[in-house]
Amino acid sequence: MKIQLALDRLTEQECFRIADETSDNIDWIEIGTGVIKEYGMKIVREMKAAYPEKTIVADMKTCDAGKHEAEQAFKAGADVMTVMGFSHNSTIKQALEIANDANKRIMIDLLGIKDAKRVKSLYDLGADLFCLHIGKDMQKEGSIADPALFRLVKGLNDIEVAIAGGISEKTIGELKDSIADVVIVGSAITGNQAPKEASSAIRNKLEK
């Protein structure tokens, strides 16, 4: 199981400091939507240059202009770009085509998607990497990611599943033996005064 570090609501300096401190314990580095809006594709390029061995995720949350935004992300060095699952099918198809041509990947963000039929239709379009996502504002109302979300991808073959939403050292245990391939951790690491130790604790919980 891979750990994806979500860098969001941070300064550029904080992003690189935390990535540096946690690099031994994480596999994928996500440049969050807010960070991209603040610093643009420049920070994606710089993060890939600094960590060429890591999978860099540009959390674009694309919901239109799939071709253009996929080209932007991949030219900047991203290995994965996020597209919202509620986007028009043509947006998703365009993004997938660009990703396939560039030997990159599209992660479909299922934030707000409650119907497994919609996920199946995305799968039929060629999507094979899905993010089960409880958003930050939803977390404030007490919801966090848990195994119940896996029903959305039940029965889909040859896919990878990421899960995000309030995951921490305390909650990671219930995901350890799940179908998740990637666990996305944000504030439990980035909001910790000792991000290296926090990421190490989460890694140790997965490897026990």
Side-chain angles (χ1 to χ4, degrees):
M1 188 179 288
K2 303 177 185 71
I3 297 175
Q4 178 173 316
L5 172 67
L7 299 169
D8 213 354
R9 297 171 296 280
L10 300 165
T11 67
E12 185 175 17
Q13 184 179 14
E14 288 170 334
C15 286
F16 282 94
R17 175 182 61 81
I18 294 169
D20 185 58
E21 291 186 25
T22 61
S23 61
D24 289 343
N25 299 313
I26 61 164
D27 306 288
W28 292 13
I29 299 175
E30 171 193 327
I31 314 300
T33 312
V35 172
I36 290 175
K37 287 180 177 180
E38 181 75 21
Y39 300 106
M41 291 295 102
K42 172 178 172 286
I43 194 168
V44 178
R45 286 191 291 270
E46 291 176 348
M47 193 64 74
K48 186 61 180 179
Y51 301 97
E53 77 285 2
K54 301 293 186 186
T55 295
I56 303 297
V57 181
D59 188 20
M60 303 283 279
K61 288 191 172 67
T62 293
C63 57
D64 195 22
K67 178 178 184 294
H68 174 70
E69 294 198 2
E71 288 174 342
Q72 272 188 313
F74 298 139
K75 284 179 180 177
D79 301 291
V80 178
M81 183 190 83
T82 62
V83 177
M84 301 309 294
F86 57 72
S87 305
H88 194 277
N89 283 358
S90 63
T91 301
I92 291 168
K93 287 171 68 176
Q94 288 173 28
L96 287 168
E97 286 171 5
I98 296 299
N100 289 335
D101 289 345
N103 198 27
K104 306 288 188 177
R105 303 190 72 189
I106 297 298
M107 179 185 285
I108 304 295
D109 188 331
L110 298 177
L111 181 69
I113 303 292
K114 298 180 180 180
D115 187 355
K117 291 181 180 179
R118 175 56 181 162
V119 182
K120 176 61 165 59
S121 71
L122 295 167
Y123 174 76
D124 291 340
L125 290 175
D128 63 1
L129 175 57
F130 296 93
C131 177
L132 302 167
H133 189 185
I134 298 295
K136 199 71 178 175
D137 292 341
M138 296 165 67
Q139 292 171 44
K140 291 176 182 177
E141 297 177 358
S143 298
I144 61 171
D146 65 59
L149 293 171
F150 295 127
R151 66 175 181 78
L152 290 172
V153 295
K154 186 177 180 180
L156 303 183
N157 299 317
D158 300 318
I159 63 169
E160 281 191 274
V161 178
I163 187 166
I167 296 172
S168 67
E169 181 187 356
K170 293 180 180 179
T171 63
I172 197 77
E174 62 181 321
L175 299 174
K176 180 180 175 183
D177 297 318
S178 72
I179 64 169
D181 301 286
V182 183
V183 288
I184 302 175
V185 185
S187 57
I189 294 174
T190 62
N192 194 298
Q193 291 184 342
K196 180 177 182 178
E197 288 75 9
S199 63
S200 178
I202 290 170
R203 172 62 72 188
N204 289 339
K205 277 286 184 73
L206 288 178
E207 293 181 350
K208 277 184 179 180

